[in-house]
Amino acid sequence: MEQKRKISFFDKYLSVWVALCIGLGILIGHWAGDSIQVISSLEISRVNIPVAILIWLMIYPMMLQVDFSSIKKVGRKPKGVILTLVINWLIKPFSMAFFAWLFFSKLYQAWITPEMAGEYIAGAIILGAAPCTAMVFVWSYLTDGDPNYTLVQVSVNDLIILVAFVPIVGLLLGITNVSVPYDTLFASVVIFVVVPLAAGYITNRYLIRKHGEDWFKQVFLPKLKPVSILALLVTLILLFAFQGTNITSNPLIILLAAMPLVIQTYFIFFLAWFIGKNIRLPFNVCAPAAMIGASNFFELAVAVAIALFGLESPAALVTVVGVLVEVPVMLSLVWFANRSRGQFVK
């Protein structure tokens, strides 16, 4: 009998933990008043030091899993990787920019000023240009995806982030008339991608050589996983402690920000799903490919939004709302994928 796959308790209720941290952050911000500004002043070159440390703790465990040797396997079954790359880098950032422009600049004119709309759009663009690297392994597992092929897809995307993230974000921010501080954007990629990736690779090679690959994957990585998610939750508490006044004075903004993000997620998933079916990808490759495009590297997006626009900015708020809505939406897509696997050629 086929064993039913289960998501961990913590991952399953991630949206609940995120919501609780948001509430706690707002309460702390309301209670602490202006004294919370002491934390925001701990900056070096516009990078907030406490937040930078927390974001490193989020990203480093993911970079440990990047397998450079898997890149050599791309040529064996290229269609799934090509689909992932086309969706993630040629379609997804631009469709996110379009939905963000449509909602924040046009449909929300009655509630959001043009100046604020620009920053909300910027946050959505940053979120849309960062494809998922971590949670996609959970979504792949829940849909019986090919784990080795999923690793190849994610590793290729992680390397492309190094060269494609800055130009795409810069281009789209420029098109939407948002000022682009390229020096800060480059610095963010170096600090939050290049350095953790290098540290992750060195650690990966050292520990596997010393303790073996089985120990690394079965013992070390599971112990490190809670560090990443706890760092994310503490970052959310800090973010919302700074955003508390803005949110309590306008709680509708959370719902408004969520709308284009949810529509973008479903749009990208079903586009990748439709193309994957028509180029006759097997189910265990098509499902993870669609999941990677639909979900986001929200840790990187949060870090870049804070570095570019600040802790209290609307751009940072949009990236955090992305975290809030991602899990329930992705679980609905897992349900759809599993119900639809019979449509694929075996």
Side-chain angles (χ1 to χ4, degrees):
M1 178 182 294
E2 185 180 356
Q3 186 177 2
K4 186 177 181 180
R5 301 207 164 193
K6 294 181 179 178
I7 189 172
S8 73
F9 177 79
F10 203 82
D11 288 338
K12 183 177 182 179
Y13 294 104
L14 180 58
S15 292
V16 175
W17 316 136
V18 168
L20 290 174
C21 288
I22 288 173
L24 180 60
I26 292 172
L27 285 176
I28 290 174
H30 180 73
W31 175 75
D34 292 339
S35 58
I36 197 74
Q37 301 303 322
V38 174
I39 299 177
S40 71
S41 65
L42 302 175
E43 291 185 348
I44 297 177
S45 301
R46 296 186 64 181
V47 175
N48 184 273
I49 301 305
V51 173
I53 293 171
L54 288 168
I55 289 172
W56 277 10
L57 291 175
M58 280 191 259
I59 294 176
Y60 170 68
M62 299 170 201
M63 295 306 185
L64 279 167
Q65 302 177 60
V66 175
D67 181 3
F68 288 90
S69 64
S70 68
I71 308 302
K72 292 182 288 189
K73 303 174 185 175
V74 169
R76 298 179 189 173
K77 300 177 183 176
K79 286 198 297 185
V81 173
I82 292 172
L83 173 63
T84 302
L85 296 180
V86 169
I87 292 292
N88 283 344
W89 299 107
L90 298 181
I91 298 175
K92 179 183 176 185
F94 301 93
S95 61
M96 183 72 264
F98 169 74
F99 286 126
W101 167 82
L102 178 64
F103 277 82
F104 291 116
S105 287
K106 302 299 178 185
L107 301 181
Y108 294 163
Q109 282 184 342
W111 300 286
I112 297 176
T113 65
E115 293 76 18
M116 296 290 282
E119 283 213 27
Y120 286 118
I121 292 171
I125 287 172
I126 293 169
L127 195 64
C132 187
T133 63
M135 286 296 286
V136 70
F137 290 108
V138 176
W139 313 133
S140 177
Y141 172 77
L142 292 174
T143 52
D144 292 326
D146 182 333
N148 295 322
Y149 202 85
T150 302
L151 178 61
V152 172
Q153 291 170 309
V154 171
S155 297
V156 171
N157 274 293
D158 281 347
L159 296 180
I160 291 180
I161 284 176
L162 294 173
V163 296
F165 183 77
V166 170
I168 288 178
V169 170
L171 171 67
L172 291 173
L173 291 183
I175 290 174
T176 51
N177 296 319
V178 176
S179 176
V180 185
Y182 275 102
D183 54 342
T184 307
L185 190 55
F186 276 113
S188 298
V189 172
V190 171
I191 293 170
F192 299 119
V193 178
V194 177
V195 173
L197 183 61
Y201 175 75
I202 293 169
T203 309
N204 177 301
R205 294 293 90 194
Y206 173 76
L207 291 178
I208 289 178
R209 192 179 304 119
K210 186 172 184 178
H211 298 286
E213 190 167 353
D214 286 343
W215 177 88
F216 180 76
K217 290 183 176 178
Q218 304 300 326
V219 178
F220 181 72
L221 287 182
K223 285 185 177 178
L224 204 60
K225 184 179 178 182
V227 173
S228 180
I229 199 68
L230 286 174
L232 170 66
L233 296 178
V234 175
T235 303
L236 294 182
I237 292 173
L238 270 182
L239 274 171
F240 278 87
F242 288 106
Q243 298 269 3
T245 304
N246 294 335
I247 294 170
T248 52
S249 62
N250 187 15
L252 180 65
I253 194 61
I254 297 290
L255 179 62
L256 295 179
M259 288 295 289
L261 303 184
V262 171
I263 291 172
Q264 157 81 355
T265 302
Y266 283 117
F267 170 74
I268 288 296
F269 174 86
F270 284 109
L271 179 63
W273 181 268
F274 175 80
I275 296 173
K277 274 182 62 179
N278 282 277
I279 61 175
R280 302 177 72 81
L281 286 180
F283 173 80
N284 64 355
V285 172
C286 183
M291 298 289 177
I292 292 173
S295 54
N296 301 303
F297 189 174
F298 48 73
E299 295 85 354
L300 175 64
V302 170
V304 173
I306 292 172
L308 291 179
F309 299 99
L311 274 166
E312 303 173 60
S313 65
L317 180 64
V318 170
T319 59
V320 173
V321 173
V323 184
L324 181 65
V325 301
E326 178 159 314
V327 173
V329 172
M330 293 305 296
L331 283 174
S332 73
L333 294 174
V334 166
W335 175 86
F336 168 83
N338 286 329
R339 296 270 298 182
S340 307
R341 70 174 61 206
Q343 301 173 7
F344 285 77
V345 177
K346 298 183 179 177

